Amino acid sequence: RSRYWTGVPVVGTTPADIPISTFLGFGTSDNEYQHHDKTLVGANWSHRLGQNWKVTQRFHAYRLDYVFANTWYGTSMAADNRTLSRGMYTAPLDVTNTWATNLDLTGTLRTGSLTHRLLVGVDHFDEDFKQELYSGAALAAFGPTIDILAPTYRDVPSMDTVPLTSFSKFRHHWNGVYAQDQITILPRLQLLVGGRYDDATRRGASSPTSIADAGTRAVSVKNSAFSPRVGVVVRPTPQISIYGNYVESMGAPNSGLGRNGETFDPETAQQVEGGVKAELFGARLVASAAVYDLKKQNVLQTDPANPAFRIAIGETASTGVEFDVAGQLSERFTITGSYAHANPRIVKNSANVGNRLAQAPRNSGNVWGRYQFAGALHNASVGLGVMSVGQRFGTLANRWSLPAFTRVDAMAAVPVRYGARTLTLQLNVENLLDEVYYLASDGGVMALPGSPRTLTL
């Protein structure tokens, strides 16, 4: 159980110059809280069917019981750049149950000179959600606005006294069938051909009176699609691989409801990708480069006007390049690194066509080095890493920005003998220099800072 904290408000086009620890909720009593009860059960098994075939089955069940009474912030700051609007939302009932399972058969066989690595399978996903919610402006007597430069607090009344305004019920069923064949045509030429068929049914609605009434209002909507996948890998030398692929998907089930009780079609996507991977210096260093073009439809995000609901933002597209490197530069020094340049943008079915996606940087990268000692400090190690993320817009309208940042992390590890065993004691330090930086936004007027210096032993 903890108090909800929503970040730092934006003044003009950047986060306000206030301490990131500033609390802008309604008060300090237990009348404002969030409480999670989570239960997770998982299992998997596999069985070999002869030398070349294997069957695998996995099962996953999850229940989230989420009770909360929290502050949410409005969509604008007053003209004085210090008066922030607020609202309240509380859910005495917010329960999600999901379960998923799949059954795969994998194996190899030969047809003439061709070798086939085959995968066939089925999967199922089921989600059930129900919620009782109050969402609206705070009662005037308890301060619907707050001065961010000189906050004063008054506790909201017990949420037990707040009249509920929305009752939601949602059910999602998803079935998939898939097959894939990775064919070795020549020792240095492989072809991948596959696809899956998805069938999804969702049923949901909201009501101002009861969950039972929401169930009565609910309308079933069905989506189905076949998604192909093709790819090719060529190895001109044993150390270099060149690949290309095309993939379609009917992917994320787009759970949740809009403010008016509407459900959403599943997210779909199409991607073309090509790249090269090389093993250098006797395979001590592995480097790869890729270029891609990705389009997504029916993309959702949290509703910035009310975080209890979702909104559709239209079709998005992103083209970009990625570089990765990993290797052991010496007997004791290893390094990993990556860099990505992207152009994520909204292209259709939105008032924000042409804008960059919220929270998506054009440039980002990281590098991490680790050194292992010899001699008296044998197997002890230290590491240092740098992560850099470029400027990102905080909203789909691109009205304000999250500043670019660079964060330094570090670690140290020491082996400790414990009888006949060796344990490792490791200290991780995130944000070593204790910089103030912003990781994300709520899509409205709030910027969410990254953690200050954090030590984990």
Side-chain angles (χ1 to χ4, degrees):
R1 181 174 177 130
S2 61
R3 186 165 292 109
Y4 193 68
W5 179 83
T6 323
V8 173
V10 171
V11 172
T13 60
T14 59
D17 185 16
I18 61 175
I20 63 173
S21 58
T22 304
F23 178 65
L24 298 172
F26 281 95
T28 55
S29 76
D30 284 343
N31 289 344
E32 189 169 352
Y33 60 85
Q34 56 179 344
H35 182 96
H36 301 81
D37 284 322
K38 301 178 182 180
T39 304
L40 172 65
V41 177
N44 68 78
W45 61 267
S46 62
H47 179 70
R48 287 206 167 273
L49 305 173
Q51 183 177 357
N52 296 326
W53 294 89
K54 182 172 74 171
V55 60
T56 302
Q57 194 260 335
R58 300 176 182 87
F59 174 81
H60 171 106
Y62 175 69
R63 176 183 173 88
L64 171 62
D65 193 340
Y66 181 30
V67 180
F68 59 90
N70 292 326
T71 305
W72 64 275
Y73 304 138
T75 57
S76 64
M77 177 77 71
D80 62 5
N81 285 334
R82 59 186 298 169
T83 303
L84 177 70
S85 62
R86 299 177 299 176
M88 292 161 34
Y89 64 120
T90 179
L93 176 69
D94 187 304
V95 176
T96 303
N97 288 291
T98 66
W99 69 274
T101 188
N102 74 293
L103 182 66
D104 291 348
L105 176 66
T106 57
T108 60
L109 59 83
R110 292 185 62 87
T111 57
S113 61
L114 305 180
T115 300
H116 302 262
R117 295 179 60 188
L118 295 170
L119 161 68
V120 294
V122 296
D123 56 24
H124 174 81
F125 171 79
D126 190 280
E127 178 182 28
D128 181 79
F129 168 79
K130 55 185 177 181
Q131 180 189 68
E132 297 176 350
L133 179 73
Y134 166 81
S135 177
L139 302 175
F142 295 92
T145 63
I146 193 169
D147 184 344
I148 67 171
L149 301 183
T152 57
Y153 305 104
R154 292 190 63 183
D155 288 329
V156 293
S158 169
M159 294 298 101
D160 295 338
T161 67
V162 174
L164 301 178
T165 56
S166 176
F167 301 82
S168 299
K169 186 176 179 62
F170 181 88
R171 189 71 185 267
H172 204 117
H173 300 278
W174 192 300
N175 297 295
V177 181
Y178 47 91
Q180 179 177 289
D181 186 5
Q182 183 177 333
I183 309 167
T184 300
I185 301 173
L186 297 169
R188 296 183 180 178
L189 176 62
Q190 290 186 330
L191 177 67
L192 184 144
V193 180
R196 63 173 287 139
Y197 178 79
D198 291 286
D199 182 87
T201 301
R202 66 191 188 282
R203 180 178 176 85
S206 291
S207 163
T209 58
S210 69
I211 288 180
D213 184 53
T216 301
R217 295 167 179 250
V219 176
S220 292
V221 179
K222 190 180 181 68
N223 297 89
S224 59
F226 174 75
S227 304
R229 168 184 297 228
V230 294
V232 62
V233 178
V234 179
R235 303 190 69 180
T237 73
Q239 295 78 30
I240 297 177
S241 301
I242 302 172
Y243 73 92
N245 61 53
Y246 173 76
V247 180
E248 294 183 6
S249 68
M250 190 173 92
N254 278 347
S255 303
L257 299 169
R259 270 179 284 167
N260 299 317
E262 68 271 25
T263 62
F264 301 98
D265 288 336
E267 182 180 291
T268 56
Q270 307 82 39
Q271 177 173 280
V272 179
E273 181 180 359
V276 59
K277 180 177 180 180
E279 298 178 355
L280 308 172
F281 310 113
R284 287 193 295 114
L285 189 70
V286 178
S288 64
V291 59
Y292 65 89
D293 182 271
L294 171 64
K295 291 183 174 63
K296 291 184 179 182
Q297 298 80 35
N298 308 323
V299 179
L300 297 191
Q301 75 160 24
T302 300
D303 188 340
N306 191 325
F309 299 103
R310 307 275 277 167
I311 60 170
I313 67 172
E315 180 174 324
T316 68
S318 181
T319 53
V321 294
E322 297 177 348
F323 301 93
D324 294 277
V325 63
Q328 189 158 347
L329 301 186
S330 71
E331 182 181 355
R332 304 196 173 278
F333 183 64
T334 59
I335 188 170
T336 60
S338 66
Y339 167 76
H341 174 80
N343 181 27
R345 59 205 184 277
I346 302 171
V347 294
K348 286 184 183 179
N349 306 324
S350 171
N352 297 299
V353 167
N355 287 2
R356 199 196 316 172
L357 285 178
Q359 308 184 61
R362 287 192 183 275
N363 297 285
S364 61
N366 66 82
V367 62
W368 180 268
R370 181 167 179 157
Y371 182 81
Q372 184 169 308
F373 293 97
L377 294 175
H378 181 62
N379 287 333
S381 60
V382 293
L384 190 69
V386 178
M387 177 178 70
S388 184
V389 177
Q391 173 260 0
R392 295 135 291 148
F393 287 111
T395 66
L396 295 174
N398 290 181
R399 188 178 62 81
W400 59 269
S401 297
L402 297 160
F405 71 89
T406 298
R407 191 186 80 195
V408 178
D409 301 331
M411 59 78 60
V414 179
V416 179
R417 293 290 296 174
Y418 181 73
R421 302 173 184 268
T422 299
L423 307 181
T424 299
L425 188 66
Q426 180 165 320
L427 175 68
N428 294 330
V429 185
E430 182 181 299
N431 194 5
L432 177 67
L433 304 181
D434 202 24
E435 297 285 345
V436 174
Y437 66 99
Y438 294 90
L439 278 175
S441 81
D442 70 344
V445 297
M446 302 302 295
L448 308 179
S451 298
R453 184 186 295 117
T454 304
L455 280 68
T456 305
L457 186 65

